[in-house]
Amino acid sequence: MGNHLCCCIQVDQSTVAIKERFGKFEEVLEPGCHCLPWFLGSQMAGHLSLRLQQLDVKCETKTKDNVFVNVVASVQYRAIAEKANDAFYKLTNTRSQIQAYVFDVIRASVPKLNLDDAFEQKNEIAKAVEDELEKAMSAYGFEIVQTLIVDIEPDVHVKRAMNEINAAARLRVAANEKAEAEKILQIKRAEGEAEAKYLSGLGIARQRQAIVDGLRDSVLGFSVNVPGTTAKDVMDMVLVTQYFDTMKEIGATSKSSAVFIPHGPGAVRDVASQIRDGLLQASQHPS
């Protein structure tokens, strides 16, 4: 800091020295070399740094919803060169004084806020601390450059509970999304099945219509080309043909299950009469 060379002292850059004469403040010495005639009662009382300094203050307090939190404030300050005598003489411990003001403001601000609001309003808390410090410390020759709330840390049990609540909320959202996705899949699957059944029914209906149209054309053509035949004779003949085609297909399929079909001289007639009777009953008793 200062080097005594006979009656001269050196004051380093970013530093000022406090000169006294017979124990009374006389002047502030700027950086450089100064004459200090100690034999005339002059002496150097001490040095004061003008550099920017930082103080981190950790304060425990309680929020409005009764959650204990540790608030960490970072205060950047420096001595004002023009008020160096105030900064040197008025405060015994600058850092302790700043810490006391930070505690006072934080413990007055945070208990008015819920925990979530305290996180959201960190800038407002920092501004309140800075305003109070600026107002108080300027009288002592110090300038408050910046004040930041760098951390708000709840009690470990509260933090664990908050994490569990958030995890449960996220799981609930994920479950809802999954259920919604499954619902959409089921709806699409049902719509697809309904469409498939509709198209299948449409195909069967068209197939039956084609069969009916073919039978009608066959009966009409046969009746015209073969005189003396009736529609009943032609239908019996068609049924006989269908009957034998069915027997042929069953016999040709090697992996078919056992199928019992009445077969004999009157089997075709019985089948024809049963179909005819069914058609007549259906026409007499419409649904």
Side-chain angles (χ1 to χ4, degrees):
M1 301 292 284
N3 297 323
H4 288 272
L5 298 173
C6 297
C7 297
C8 295
I9 65 164
Q10 174 185 318
V11 180
D12 296 334
Q13 185 64 37
S14 300
T15 307
V16 293
I18 306 300
K19 178 182 177 184
E20 294 179 347
R21 187 172 184 183
F22 296 114
K24 180 182 178 182
F25 169 73
E26 185 175 19
E27 64 176 325
V28 176
L29 303 180
E30 300 289 336
C33 187
H34 298 273
C35 181
L36 196 70
W38 54 268
F39 52 86
L40 296 179
S42 296
Q43 64 177 357
M44 185 179 66
H47 291 81
L48 181 69
S49 174
L50 300 179
R51 291 176 180 173
L52 184 68
Q53 301 182 65
Q54 179 167 311
L55 173 64
D56 292 330
V57 181
K58 186 175 183 180
C59 174
E60 185 181 26
T61 185
K62 187 174 70 169
T63 62
K64 187 177 180 180
D65 47 354
N66 295 321
V67 177
F68 281 92
V69 293
N70 286 310
V71 181
V72 180
S74 180
V75 181
Q76 297 174 350
Y77 66 97
R78 66 184 165 207
I80 304 172
E82 294 77 13
K83 296 182 178 181
N85 58 331
D86 290 337
F88 186 82
Y89 286 106
K90 286 189 175 181
L91 286 180
T92 304
N93 191 325
T94 306
R95 298 174 76 85
S96 297
Q97 188 72 24
I98 291 175
Q99 182 173 331
Y101 279 110
V102 172
F103 277 8
D104 183 62
V105 176
I106 288 177
R107 287 174 175 166
S109 302
V110 175
K112 297 177 183 178
L113 303 171
N114 289 327
L115 181 61
D116 292 339
D117 296 334
F119 279 103
E120 293 174 3
Q121 298 183 28
K122 284 201 304 182
N123 292 338
E124 287 80 356
I125 298 172
K127 186 69 168 60
V129 173
E130 184 172 337
D131 291 345
E132 185 66 24
L133 282 176
E134 185 69 38
K135 184 171 60 177
M137 298 305 293
S138 61
Y140 299 113
F142 283 92
E143 173 192 9
I144 304 301
V145 178
Q146 180 122 22
T147 302
L148 301 172
I149 301 298
V150 295
D151 192 19
I152 298 178
E153 186 175 357
D155 180 81
V156 62
H157 300 295
V158 175
K159 189 187 294 186
R160 188 181 300 118
M162 290 172 64
N163 290 335
E164 290 175 356
I165 291 171
N166 289 333
R170 291 180 185 277
L171 288 174
R172 194 160 54 244
V173 171
N176 289 337
E177 293 290 338
K178 183 178 179 182
E180 190 65 26
E182 291 178 352
K183 176 184 174 183
I184 292 172
L185 286 175
Q186 289 178 354
I187 291 173
K188 292 298 181 184
R189 193 180 297 118
E191 290 177 352
E193 291 176 356
E195 184 69 18
K197 289 178 180 178
Y198 168 76
L199 294 175
S200 176
L202 195 62
I204 292 173
R206 287 177 179 174
Q207 181 186 26
R208 289 174 179 171
Q209 183 64 41
I211 292 172
V212 170
D213 292 342
L215 287 174
R216 185 183 64 246
D217 294 341
S218 298
V219 170
L220 291 176
F222 200 89
S223 299
V224 171
N225 295 327
V226 182
T229 58
T230 64
K232 174 182 175 302
D233 297 332
V234 178
M235 285 301 298
D236 288 343
M237 187 183 69
V238 170
L239 287 172
V240 169
T241 304
Q242 291 290 333
Y243 176 81
F244 281 110
D245 285 345
T246 302
M247 294 293 291
K248 180 181 177 181
E249 288 182 7
I250 293 173
T253 306
S254 60
K255 294 183 181 180
S256 297
S257 301
V259 179
F260 295 96
I261 297 178
H263 184 67
V268 177
R269 185 176 64 252
D270 292 340
V271 171
S273 62
Q274 289 174 13
I275 293 174
R276 194 181 305 109
D277 293 342
L279 291 173
L280 289 173
Q281 291 175 5
S283 64
Q284 291 175 0
H285 304 282
S287 55

